[in-house]
Each structure stands twice: as C-alpha cells, then as structure tokens.
Amino acid sequence: MMKNIRLAKGAAGLCLAIVALPAQAAVFEWKIIGSFAGSGRLTTTDTTFAYDAEEPIAGQSVAGYLVTSMTGIFRNVAVSLMPPAPDKAPFFATNLLYPTGIAPLVDDGGLVFKAGQTTYGLFSSLTCGGDTGACRNVARIGYPGISGGSRQVTFSISAVKAAVPEPSSWAMMIAGFAVVGMALRRGRVQVRYAGR
C-alpha cells in the first residue's frame, strides 16, 4: 500500500513539473509579396527582446523573439536563415521578429537569409507612414549588388498551431497511465493449481 502511495505522489509531482514547463518555441508561416516573393516557416525562441528600431515607437513596449530557423522558397530557391550578425556589413542582422503590437514585424537589423548563393536582408521600412502601425507589414528587401539598394515588399506572418500536445495534456495522460498502472498492479490474482 505504501508503495502505491509513493508511486502516486511521484506521478503527481511529475505532472506538476510538466505543467510548469514553458513553451519552447513558436512557429510562424511567413509570406513576402512584391517584386521579390516567397513563403515558408519561421521558428522562434520563447525569449523576448526589446524593440530595436532607430526610432522607437512612442509608448510601446514591444516584445521581439529571436528567429532560430527559416525555411521555405524565395524567388524559386530554397531558403536558409543566416546567423545574427549585428556588427557585420552589408546587413546588420538581429534576426528578431515582433509578432504582436503595432511595430513593424522586423526591426532595422531585420532577418538575413540565404536563397541559393545569394544573401538577402529583410528589414523594416519606416518610410511608409511613420510609427502608427501602417508600416507593420511593409518591409524592405535587399542584397549586395541590387540596383537602388533595396525594394519595398509586403511581409506577413501567421502563427502555426502546434501539433504537439500541450504540457497539461501530457500531464493528464501520464496521470491516467499511473492510475491504470496502480489499478492493474493492485488487482493481480495469483493462480494456484490443485495438487501442488
């Protein structure tokens, strides 16, 4: 009996630990529309960073998330994310994404990615109407050698629903297995044969 109580306490502790775990990452579908076009997926960490524009948005505290992977197709070529390089030309990349608020989706540093052999920078374009939210989906995209420096595009994201169960669902499932296991263990019947 004491063994069953310890087992139940252990299962309850494990369930509580699982429920307390934070989400590890967010996944977004991305789309670029304009003279350059593409789409795919972005994965971010759950760590937040402050908005990093040259002109901060008045009265806004905006959370940015570090992009850890970028996949998809851009200009008919497979895409891969380049590591953040805040101190390197030609693109001073922060690889931060701002999915909430009225701030642009990317900051001045923006995202740097490779499509084929060409490295592209996707960064905010505050020339589209100031900091009122009109610039949220407007970005500039450029690469070394582009005439005119960069081109304006529409950049949009949408959150992808996770196919993995939430931590609380895992906790309920483990607790259910523990209860079933205890019931099976407790209800064992020993069979004895006559004559032995």
Side-chain angles (χ1 to χ4, degrees):
M1 183 70 164
M2 288 301 288
K3 199 176 201 181
N4 288 343
I5 292 173
R6 280 184 287 183
L7 182 62
K9 283 182 180 178
L14 180 63
C15 292
L16 288 174
I18 291 173
V19 170
L21 290 176
Q24 293 300 312
V27 179
F28 298 93
E29 296 279 342
W30 62 269
K31 186 179 266 186
I32 296 173
I33 301 170
S35 56
F36 293 155
S39 63
R41 285 196 173 195
L42 294 169
T43 304
T44 67
T45 63
D46 65 344
T47 307
T48 60
F49 297 86
Y51 183 69
D52 187 32
E54 286 176 8
E55 300 174 20
I57 299 201
Q60 292 291 312
S61 174
V62 182
Y65 297 88
L66 181 64
V67 177
T68 56
S69 75
M70 181 178 186
T71 58
I73 301 293
F74 181 73
R75 298 185 77 190
N76 299 322
V77 181
V79 168
S80 63
L81 183 71
M82 301 295 290
D87 301 325
K88 294 186 179 177
F91 302 114
F92 302 94
T94 57
N95 285 359
L96 294 177
L97 183 70
Y98 302 91
T100 60
I102 63 169
L105 291 171
V106 289
D107 59 18
D108 298 349
L111 300 174
V112 171
F113 60 94
K114 207 166 207 168
Q117 298 301 315
T118 306
T119 302
Y120 294 90
L122 178 71
F123 49 93
S124 69
S125 175
L126 291 178
T127 59
C128 69
D131 60 1
T132 61
C135 299
R136 178 139 178 82
N137 295 95
V138 178
R140 307 274 316 158
I141 195 156
Y143 61 92
I146 188 173
S147 61
S150 63
R151 296 188 182 157
Q152 188 164 303
V153 294
T154 300
F155 176 58
S156 61
I157 60 168
S158 59
V160 174
K161 299 284 185 195
V164 177
E166 293 290 325
S168 57
S169 298
W170 280 105
M172 290 289 283
M173 185 172 61
I174 291 170
F177 285 137
V179 169
V180 169
M182 286 190 306
L184 288 174
R185 188 175 182 142
R186 186 173 190 182
R188 270 193 202 150
V189 177
Q190 281 190 335
V191 178
R192 295 183 187 231
Y193 296 99
R196 286 194 165 180

